[in-house]
């Protein structure tokens, strides 16, 4: 399988993930809904933490609104496929990435922005793979339709980071976090998830 290189990601998604996802599309859809909900929450959390940063508030308000719109769209797919929305145990991906975030400011802000960029970049890559390989043409088209916004989101987080920190510092820290992200995904999680 030829995989396009996605900016920020150190290693591409494995064929094993694609096969696992395609064999469990209902579970992937349910997890996707959770991911969109959480992404909106991350944007709102940053707004709440840095309310005096007008540029950040404006950019992340737009992201939060778009993530909630995607959440509603994925929920429509769940309804079409008679999949009840409900809780789903998350894979270790998000929690393991959050452990990389330093607790002291301003390092915390930089790390949260870059972790968010990495998650959006991985989402962009994986939704693209689902759009390419999903056997349901309508669902494949839906995934392809989300790719541009995921790419725009990781771009926004990158711009926010480079607008607040020296470029060399951002690039160095991104390299460290991207290595950690790849390490987290090195072993396929036994339960199918967008980030497993």
């Amino acid at each position: 399988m030829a995989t396009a290189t996605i900016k920020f990601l150190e290693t591409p998604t494995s064929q094993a993930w694609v096969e696992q996802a395609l064999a469990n599309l209902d579970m992937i859809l349910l997890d996707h809904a959770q991911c969109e909900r959480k992404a909106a929450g991350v944007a709102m959390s940053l707004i709440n933490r840095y309310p005096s940063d007008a540029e950040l508030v404006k950019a992340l308000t737009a992201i939060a609104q778009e993530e909630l719109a995607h959440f509603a769209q994925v929920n429509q797919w769940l309804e079409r496929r008679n999949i009840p929305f409900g809780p789903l145990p998350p894979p270790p991906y998000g929690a393991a990435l959050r452990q990389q975030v330093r607790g002291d400011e301003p390092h915390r802000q930089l790390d949260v922005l870059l972790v968010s960029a990495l998650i959006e970049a991985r989402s962009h890559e994986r939704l693209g793979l689902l759009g390419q390989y999903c056997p349901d043409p309508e669902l494949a088209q839906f995934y392809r339709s989300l790719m541009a916004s995921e790419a725009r989101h990781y771009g926004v987080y990158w711009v926010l980071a480079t607008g607040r920190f020296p470029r060399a510092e951002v690039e160095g820290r991104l390299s460290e976090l991207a290595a950690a992200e790849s390490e987290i995904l090195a072993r396929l999680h036994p339960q199918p998830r967008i980030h497993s």
Side-chain angles (χ1 to χ4, degrees), residues 33-119:
Q34 303 284 5
C35 289
E36 299 289 0
R37 179 184 58 77
K38 286 184 234 176
V42 166
M44 289 304 302
S45 174
L46 279 161
I47 289 168
N48 290 336
R49 190 167 185 99
Y50 308 106
S52 60
D53 186 331
E55 181 192 18
L56 180 146
V57 168
K58 182 177 179 181
L60 296 185
T61 297
I63 285 183
Q65 290 171 330
E66 196 164 30
E67 301 286 18
L68 284 174
H70 293 167
F71 174 65
Q73 290 175 305
V74 178
N75 274 333
Q76 289 172 355
W77 274 98
L78 292 175
E79 288 174 15
R80 282 175 66 173
R81 294 170 76 102
N82 295 313
I83 306 164
F85 180 74
L88 192 65
Y93 178 83
L97 268 178
R98 283 192 299 277
Q99 287 175 356
Q100 303 296 319
V101 173
R102 295 168 289 183
D104 57 317
E105 295 289 3
H107 297 119
R108 184 187 189 282
Q109 184 184 42
L110 175 61
D111 287 359
V112 172
L113 290 170
L114 292 179
V115 163
S116 299
L118 281 167
I119 293 171

